[in-house]
Amino acid sequence: MSLKKLITTTKIIYCAAAFGLLDYAHVAPQHKSNFLVFTLTETIKMTQAFDFEKAMAPSKAFAALAIEKSESLIALNTALLNKYSAMTIANAKAAMEVKDAEAAKAYFAEQNAKAKEIMEGLVEDSKAVAKISQDYTAEVQKLVTTSSKEAVEAVKTAVTPKA
């Protein structure tokens, strides 16, 4: 067998194996040593050429952004939980102070203003949550446009044969 034919056959076998179309058990006996040597050599070359840090940078950036925005959302939700819990407890304590009809009339008169205050607060709090979401979406879009090119280049560099 000529060297050119041997290399071509070995590359075809390697490519078939790399894509899961062929495994070592199905390699013809006369090609098994070539298959192993080529596979090992090409795997080492790809691993050395592949810049994992550069290729993983977009994933790391997305994870960092998700963590940052999750922390912001958790902090906001914690603050809102404290705010609305305090309002509820204060309102319950005020209700427990009602001892007569006059106090009940005053308590129920305040409820309208408190309900309005709570609704306005909910609108503002919803805007704060929406702002976190909008910021996250904008930053993800920015990351996608800037990072996808870098990741593609890292992969191209790794799979492009060196002369």
Side-chain angles (χ1 to χ4, degrees), residues 1-12 38:
M1 180 182 292
S2 72
L3 181 60
K4 185 175 181 179
K5 186 173 181 184
L6 178 64
I7 291 172
T8 303
T9 304
T10 306
K11 283 186 177 182
I12 290 169
F38 186 79

Side-chain angles (χ1 to χ4, degrees), residues 17-29:
F19 288 105
L21 304 173
L22 181 69
D23 62 26
Y24 182 71
H26 294 96
V27 176

Side-chain angles (χ1 to χ4, degrees), residues 100-151:
D100 56 25
E102 195 63 34
K105 184 177 176 183
Y107 171 79
F108 288 114
E110 288 178 6
Q111 294 307 300
N112 212 10
K114 286 185 180 184
K116 183 179 177 184
E117 177 186 335
I118 290 171
M119 291 305 294
E120 289 171 354
L122 286 172
V123 168
E124 291 304 312
D125 299 336
S126 296
K127 287 179 183 177
V129 171
K131 175 83 169 106
I132 291 172
S133 176
Q134 288 169 348
D135 290 348
Y136 176 75
T137 301
E139 290 179 44
V140 164
Q141 289 172 346
K142 185 174 143 187
L143 276 173
V144 167
T145 57
T146 59
S147 301
S148 62
K149 291 178 185 175
E150 293 172 9

